[in-house]
PDB file of all heavy atoms in Angstrom:
ATOM      1  N   LYS B 589      -5.819 -18.008  15.341  1.00 96.00           N
ATOM      2  CA  LYS B 589      -5.512 -18.990  14.334  1.00 96.00           C
ATOM      3  C   LYS B 589      -4.323 -18.463  13.489  1.00 96.00           C
ATOM      4  O   LYS B 589      -3.835 -17.350  13.685  1.00 96.00           O
ATOM      5  CB  LYS B 589      -6.660 -19.122  13.263  1.00 96.00           C
ATOM      6  CG  LYS B 589      -7.826 -19.710  13.836  1.00 96.00           C
ATOM      7  CD  LYS B 589      -9.055 -20.030  12.931  1.00 96.00           C
ATOM      8  CE  LYS B 589     -10.296 -20.639  13.457  1.00 96.00           C
ATOM      9  NZ  LYS B 589     -11.375 -20.897  12.549  1.00 96.00           N
ATOM     10  N   ASN B 590      -3.763 -19.456  12.679  1.00 92.00           N
ATOM     11  CA  ASN B 590      -2.481 -19.068  11.961  1.00 92.00           C
ATOM     12  C   ASN B 590      -3.041 -18.488  10.582  1.00 92.00           C
ATOM     13  O   ASN B 590      -3.903 -19.060   9.845  1.00 92.00           O
ATOM     14  CB  ASN B 590      -1.786 -20.398  11.630  1.00 92.00           C
ATOM     15  CG  ASN B 590      -0.313 -20.055  11.033  1.00 92.00           C
ATOM     16  OD1 ASN B 590      -0.300 -19.245  10.192  1.00 92.00           O
ATOM     17  ND2 ASN B 590       0.718 -20.727  11.610  1.00 92.00           N
ATOM     18  N   TYR B 591      -2.394 -17.337  10.194  1.00 93.00           N
ATOM     19  CA  TYR B 591      -2.737 -16.671   8.923  1.00 93.00           C
ATOM     20  C   TYR B 591      -2.563 -17.574   7.662  1.00 93.00           C
ATOM     21  O   TYR B 591      -3.421 -17.460   6.803  1.00 93.00           O
ATOM     22  CB  TYR B 591      -1.828 -15.458   8.742  1.00 93.00           C
ATOM     23  CG  TYR B 591      -1.528 -15.029   7.454  1.00 93.00           C
ATOM     24  CD1 TYR B 591      -2.423 -14.172   6.707  1.00 93.00           C
ATOM     25  CD2 TYR B 591      -0.156 -15.197   6.849  1.00 93.00           C
ATOM     26  CE1 TYR B 591      -2.163 -13.630   5.435  1.00 93.00           C
ATOM     27  CE2 TYR B 591      -0.029 -14.709   5.569  1.00 93.00           C
ATOM     28  CZ  TYR B 591      -0.899 -13.923   4.854  1.00 93.00           C
ATOM     29  OH  TYR B 591      -0.742 -13.383   3.624  1.00 93.00           O
ATOM     30  N   THR B 592      -1.747 -18.585   7.778  1.00 95.00           N
ATOM     31  CA  THR B 592      -1.605 -19.395   6.571  1.00 95.00           C
ATOM     32  C   THR B 592      -2.682 -20.554   6.466  1.00 95.00           C
ATOM     33  O   THR B 592      -2.590 -21.309   5.581  1.00 95.00           O
ATOM     34  CB  THR B 592      -0.138 -20.100   6.568  1.00 95.00           C
ATOM     35  OG1 THR B 592       0.174 -20.850   7.832  1.00 95.00           O
ATOM     36  CG2 THR B 592       0.907 -18.990   6.427  1.00 95.00           C
ATOM     37  N   GLU B 593      -3.456 -20.547   7.482  1.00 96.00           N
ATOM     38  CA  GLU B 593      -4.601 -21.499   7.465  1.00 96.00           C
ATOM     39  C   GLU B 593      -5.985 -20.961   7.128  1.00 96.00           C
ATOM     40  O   GLU B 593      -6.968 -21.657   7.055  1.00 96.00           O
ATOM     41  CB  GLU B 593      -4.680 -22.205   8.930  1.00 96.00           C
ATOM     42  CG  GLU B 593      -3.511 -22.850   9.305  1.00 96.00           C
ATOM     43  CD  GLU B 593      -3.518 -23.219  10.848  1.00 96.00           C
ATOM     44  OE1 GLU B 593      -4.405 -22.822  11.572  1.00 96.00           O
ATOM     45  OE2 GLU B 593      -2.721 -24.050  11.236  1.00 96.00           O
ATOM     46  N   MET B 594      -5.905 -19.608   6.826  1.00 98.00           N
ATOM     47  CA  MET B 594      -7.243 -18.805   6.698  1.00 98.00           C
ATOM     48  C   MET B 594      -7.288 -18.199   5.333  1.00 98.00           C
ATOM     49  O   MET B 594      -6.406 -18.119   4.638  1.00 98.00           O
ATOM     50  CB  MET B 594      -7.381 -17.883   7.820  1.00 98.00           C
ATOM     51  CG  MET B 594      -7.156 -18.473   9.139  1.00 98.00           C
ATOM     52  SD  MET B 594      -7.589 -17.239  10.449  1.00 98.00           S
ATOM     53  CE  MET B 594      -9.363 -17.154  10.409  1.00 98.00           C
ATOM     54  N   ASN B 595      -8.491 -17.814   5.026  1.00 98.00           N
ATOM     55  CA  ASN B 595      -8.889 -17.179   3.712  1.00 98.00           C
ATOM     56  C   ASN B 595      -9.445 -15.712   4.091  1.00 98.00           C
ATOM     57  O   ASN B 595     -10.402 -15.627   4.787  1.00 98.00           O
ATOM     58  CB  ASN B 595      -9.817 -17.934   2.900  1.00 98.00           C
ATOM     59  CG  ASN B 595      -9.191 -19.220   2.435  1.00 98.00           C
ATOM     60  OD1 ASN B 595      -8.063 -19.448   2.296  1.00 98.00           O
ATOM     61  ND2 ASN B 595     -10.084 -20.239   2.238  1.00 98.00           N
ATOM     62  N   PHE B 596      -8.892 -14.769   3.440  1.00 98.00           N
ATOM     63  CA  PHE B 596      -9.422 -13.360   3.626  1.00 98.00           C
ATOM     64  C   PHE B 596      -9.615 -12.568   2.313  1.00 98.00           C
ATOM     65  O   PHE B 596      -8.856 -12.772   1.355  1.00 98.00           O
ATOM     66  CB  PHE B 596      -8.408 -12.512   4.477  1.00 98.00           C
ATOM     67  CG  PHE B 596      -8.092 -13.054   5.814  1.00 98.00           C
ATOM     68  CD1 PHE B 596      -6.984 -13.715   6.089  1.00 98.00           C
ATOM     69  CD2 PHE B 596      -9.058 -12.844   6.851  1.00 98.00           C
ATOM     70  CE1 PHE B 596      -6.663 -14.253   7.323  1.00 98.00           C
ATOM     71  CE2 PHE B 596      -8.754 -13.543   8.127  1.00 98.00           C
ATOM     72  CZ  PHE B 596      -7.620 -14.166   8.369  1.00 98.00           C
ATOM     73  N   VAL B 597     -10.668 -11.761   2.364  1.00 98.00           N
ATOM     74  CA  VAL B 597     -10.755 -10.804   1.268  1.00 98.00           C
ATOM     75  C   VAL B 597     -10.483  -9.454   1.975  1.00 98.00           C
ATOM     76  O   VAL B 597     -11.363  -9.112   2.899  1.00 98.00           O
ATOM     77  CB  VAL B 597     -12.139 -10.797   0.632  1.00 98.00           C
ATOM     78  CG1 VAL B 597     -12.257  -9.702  -0.410  1.00 98.00           C
ATOM     79  CG2 VAL B 597     -12.274 -12.201  -0.106  1.00 98.00           C
ATOM     80  N   VAL B 598      -9.615  -8.661   1.463  1.00 98.00           N
ATOM     81  CA  VAL B 598      -9.328  -7.335   2.100  1.00 98.00           C
ATOM     82  C   VAL B 598      -9.526  -6.181   1.238  1.00 98.00           C
ATOM     83  O   VAL B 598      -9.084  -6.265  -0.087  1.00 98.00           O
ATOM     84  CB  VAL B 598      -7.881  -7.333   2.649  1.00 98.00           C
ATOM     85  CG1 VAL B 598      -7.524  -5.981   3.293  1.00 98.00           C
ATOM     86  CG2 VAL B 598      -7.553  -8.532   3.447  1.00 98.00           C
ATOM     87  N   ALA B 599     -10.280  -5.152   1.615  1.00 98.00           N
ATOM     88  CA  ALA B 599     -10.420  -4.000   0.777  1.00 98.00           C
ATOM     89  C   ALA B 599      -9.740  -2.815   1.546  1.00 98.00           C
ATOM     90  O   ALA B 599     -10.015  -2.429   2.691  1.00 98.00           O
ATOM     91  CB  ALA B 599     -11.893  -3.611   0.788  1.00 98.00           C
ATOM     92  N   HIS B 600      -8.632  -2.395   0.897  1.00 96.00           N
ATOM     93  CA  HIS B 600      -7.850  -1.151   1.302  1.00 96.00           C
ATOM     94  C   HIS B 600      -8.548   0.003   0.642  1.00 96.00           C
ATOM     95  O   HIS B 600      -8.421   0.201  -0.491  1.00 96.00           O
ATOM     96  CB  HIS B 600      -6.359  -1.318   0.971  1.00 96.00           C
ATOM     97  CG  HIS B 600      -5.577  -0.080   1.351  1.00 96.00           C
ATOM     98  ND1 HIS B 600      -4.730  -0.134   2.457  1.00 96.00           N
ATOM     99  CD2 HIS B 600      -5.561   1.209   0.804  1.00 96.00           C
ATOM    100  CE1 HIS B 600      -4.214   1.067   2.594  1.00 96.00           C
ATOM    101  NE2 HIS B 600      -4.666   1.802   1.596  1.00 96.00           N
ATOM    102  N   MET B 601      -8.990   0.914   1.549  1.00 96.00           N
ATOM    103  CA  MET B 601      -9.735   2.093   0.971  1.00 96.00           C
ATOM    104  C   MET B 601      -9.114   3.441   1.439  1.00 96.00           C
ATOM    105  O   MET B 601      -9.202   3.899   2.563  1.00 96.00           O
ATOM    106  CB  MET B 601     -11.170   2.064   1.601  1.00 96.00           C
ATOM    107  CG  MET B 601     -11.853   0.720   1.363  1.00 96.00           C
ATOM    108  SD  MET B 601     -13.627   0.658   1.901  1.00 96.00           S
ATOM    109  CE  MET B 601     -13.328   0.815   3.683  1.00 96.00           C
TER     110      MET B 601
END
Side-chain angles (χ1 to χ4, degrees):
K589 296 184 179 180
N590 192 312
Y591 157 73
T592 58
E593 300 170 347
M594 304 187 74
N595 293 332
F596 299 104
V597 176
V598 184
H600 176 103
M601 306 181 297

